[in-house]
């Protein structure tokens, strides 16, 4: 009877009713037998939740998950108050790879040197007792530019100018220190509210940033192993060629982002990394005039964006 009661309680917790069509399904099913939608599954408690990371960050929950680790919410005791922080981890399986460890530690070192208000702030980085690598950073409340574009498709020129100006401020400091971001995209531009100001930008994920050629040479092994250092729709032509990168590669990525914000679509169409590489290296962007939302974009802004998208980096800003 106890076993039966416990099983019934578990079924109530996991709720095998499909969230899409409400069709009842058998215990343990992964997909709805009626509409095929994924079914909610009972999750084991994450062992990191409730523990203290780095001696001062109390893990309280899971914020997100990726292929190599998770992002958690955490609290740091600050006198009589608690500060909410985000803690990103790389699981021990990957943390055993010296190349991954070196890259992860370098990420912490690179970003900890950046002080611009529009750059994500790192508080600490290191290893947990379980062997996971972690970075503790400021907790942000808001949405990514990617999420905003999914809702609104395109933005007004004035709003794009305000957002991109802040991104450029963050990158200016990084470029002055010899740091190239290399993975600029809407998902790495976070919009929050600060002191009553909307669309306050934070540039995220300098994790594949390059600060010197020695580090770039080490990371070439990761590329050869199949780990793409960049996101194909936003990568510069020289990035696909494996050339040495400088600030002008980031300028190209900014051009792609600005183009997408203003036109409501990317400057090229492709489905595979190879197709993206071909488009970025040889094709011309679709003209601004082919979409109605681009009609209000000032000519000077169109010119700036198209210059940033030059195949030859010597022709970019």
């Amino acid at each position: 009877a106890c076993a039966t009661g416990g099983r019934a309680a578990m079924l109530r917790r996991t709720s095998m009713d499909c969230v899409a069509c409400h069709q009842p399904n058998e215990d343990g099913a992964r997909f709805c037998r009626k509409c095929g939608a994924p079914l909610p599954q009972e999750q084991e408690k994450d062992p990191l939740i409730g523990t203290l990371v780095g001696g001062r960050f109390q893990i309280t929950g899971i914020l997100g998950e990726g292929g190599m680790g998770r992002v958690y919410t955490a609290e740091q005791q600050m006198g009589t108050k608690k500060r909410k922080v985000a803690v990103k981890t790389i699981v021990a399986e990957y943390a055993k790879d010296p190349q991954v460890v070196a890259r992860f530690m370098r990420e912490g070192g690179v970003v900890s040197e950046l002080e611009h208000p529009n750059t994500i702030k790192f508080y600490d980085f290191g290893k947990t007792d379980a062997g996971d690598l972690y970075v503790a950073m400021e907790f942000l409340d808001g949405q990514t530019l990617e999420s905003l574009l999914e809702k609104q498709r395109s933005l007004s020129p004035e709003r794009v100018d305000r957002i991109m100006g802040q991104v450029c401020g963050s990158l200016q400091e990084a470029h002055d220190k010899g740091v190239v971001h290399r993975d600029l995209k809407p998902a790495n531009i976070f919009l929050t509210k600060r002191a009553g100001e909307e669309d306050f930008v934070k540039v995220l994920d300098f994790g594949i940033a390059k600060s010197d050629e020695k580090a770039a040479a080490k990371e070439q092994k990761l590329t050869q192993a199949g780990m793409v250092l960049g996101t194909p729709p936003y990568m510069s032509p020289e990035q696909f060629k494996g050339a040495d990168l400088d600030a002008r590669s980031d300028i190209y990525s900014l051009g792609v982002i600005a183009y997408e914000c203003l036109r409501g679509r990317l400057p090229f169409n492709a489905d595979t990394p190879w197709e993206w590489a071909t488009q970025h290296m040889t094709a011309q962007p679709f003209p601004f005039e082919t979409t109605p939302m681009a009609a209000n974009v000032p000519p000077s802004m169109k010119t700036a964006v198209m210059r940033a998208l030059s195949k030859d980096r010597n022709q970019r800003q």
Side-chain angles (χ1 to χ4, degrees):
C2 290
T4 302
R7 182 174 178 79
M10 181 180 292
L11 285 171
R12 286 195 296 272
R13 286 197 303 273
T14 56
S15 178
M16 297 312 295
D17 285 357
C18 177
V19 295
C21 69
H22 307 294
Q23 167 72 32
N25 288 271
E26 294 180 2
D27 181 28
R30 295 181 58 200
F31 302 96
C32 176
R33 62 182 181 181
K34 181 179 179 181
C35 71
L39 296 172
Q41 302 293 315
E42 183 178 23
Q43 301 292 325
E44 295 182 6
K45 183 180 178 182
D46 189 295
L48 210 56
I49 294 178
T51 65
L52 201 63
V53 169
R56 51 182 174 151
F57 304 108
Q58 187 82 31
I59 304 298
T60 57
I62 298 175
L63 193 60
E65 188 167 5
M68 295 181 67
R70 286 179 172 174
V71 180
Y72 298 86
T73 55
E75 293 178 340
Q76 179 186 5
Q77 194 71 42
M78 305 285 288
T80 59
K81 298 186 179 296
K82 292 182 179 180
R83 175 169 67 179
K84 194 171 185 179
V85 302
V87 175
K88 181 172 72 173
T89 66
I90 288 183
V91 295
E93 176 186 354
Y94 296 99
K96 294 176 183 176
D97 186 333
Q99 294 287 342
V100 174
V101 173
R103 180 163 161 250
F104 190 87
M105 291 300 184
R106 189 171 58 80
E107 172 182 355
V110 166
V111 182
S112 64
E113 294 178 353
L114 302 178
E115 301 175 337
H116 196 276
N118 294 120
T119 300
I120 184 77
K121 285 185 173 58
F122 274 22
Y123 300 136
D124 191 20
F125 60 97
K127 262 190 177 184
T128 68
D129 293 338
D132 296 340
L133 296 165
Y134 78 89
V135 170
M137 65 194 83
E138 64 178 314
F139 179 85
L140 300 175
D141 188 13
Q143 64 179 333
T144 64
L145 180 58
E146 180 182 54
S147 298
L148 178 62
L149 290 175
E150 288 174 355
K151 299 171 187 174
Q152 299 191 17
R153 191 177 177 188
S154 67
L155 307 177
S156 69
E158 295 77 16
R159 193 173 187 186
V160 174
D161 187 55
R162 185 166 64 252
I163 291 171
M164 296 298 289
Q166 295 176 76
V167 176
C168 288
S170 169
L171 291 175
Q172 182 69 61
E173 182 198 28
H175 291 166
D176 286 346
K177 292 179 178 289
V179 175
V180 183
H181 189 289
R182 295 201 296 174
D183 195 23
L184 289 170
K185 56 186 176 182
N188 281 337
I189 298 174
F190 199 91
L191 306 176
T192 185
K193 188 175 182 179
R194 184 67 55 89
E197 179 185 352
E198 299 285 351
D199 288 342
F200 188 88
V201 168
K202 286 287 185 176
V203 178
L204 313 179
D205 200 3
F206 278 81
I208 64 171
K210 174 177 72 70
S211 56
D212 55 62
E213 295 308 319
K214 185 180 292 185
K218 290 181 179 179
E219 287 178 351
Q220 187 64 31
K221 295 181 180 180
L222 292 177
T223 305
Q224 292 170 353
M227 184 178 293
V228 177
L229 299 183
T231 304
Y234 302 93
M235 287 166 61
S236 67
E238 59 267 29
Q239 208 166 356
F240 284 105
K241 295 175 183 177
D244 292 339
L245 303 182
D246 58 26
R248 292 169 293 181
S249 179
D250 283 347
I251 296 299
Y252 183 92
S253 298
L254 286 179
V256 177
I257 296 168
Y259 182 103
E260 183 180 11
C261 289
L262 293 167
R263 284 206 60 208
R265 58 158 298 164
L266 288 164
F268 309 105
N269 274 340
D271 295 317
T272 66
W274 175 259
E275 291 177 355
W276 281 116
T278 302
Q279 292 289 307
H280 282 293
M281 290 190 291
T282 64
Q284 290 303 311
F286 297 113
F288 264 90
E289 291 70 23
T290 57
T291 54
M293 59 273 296
N296 296 324
V297 179
S300 59
M301 187 174 281
K302 295 178 186 177
T303 300
V305 172
M306 297 307 289
R307 181 182 174 189
L309 291 175
S310 299
K311 308 298 183 188
D312 181 358
R313 60 184 174 184
N314 291 317
Q315 296 179 5
R316 298 175 203 150
Q317 295 91 328

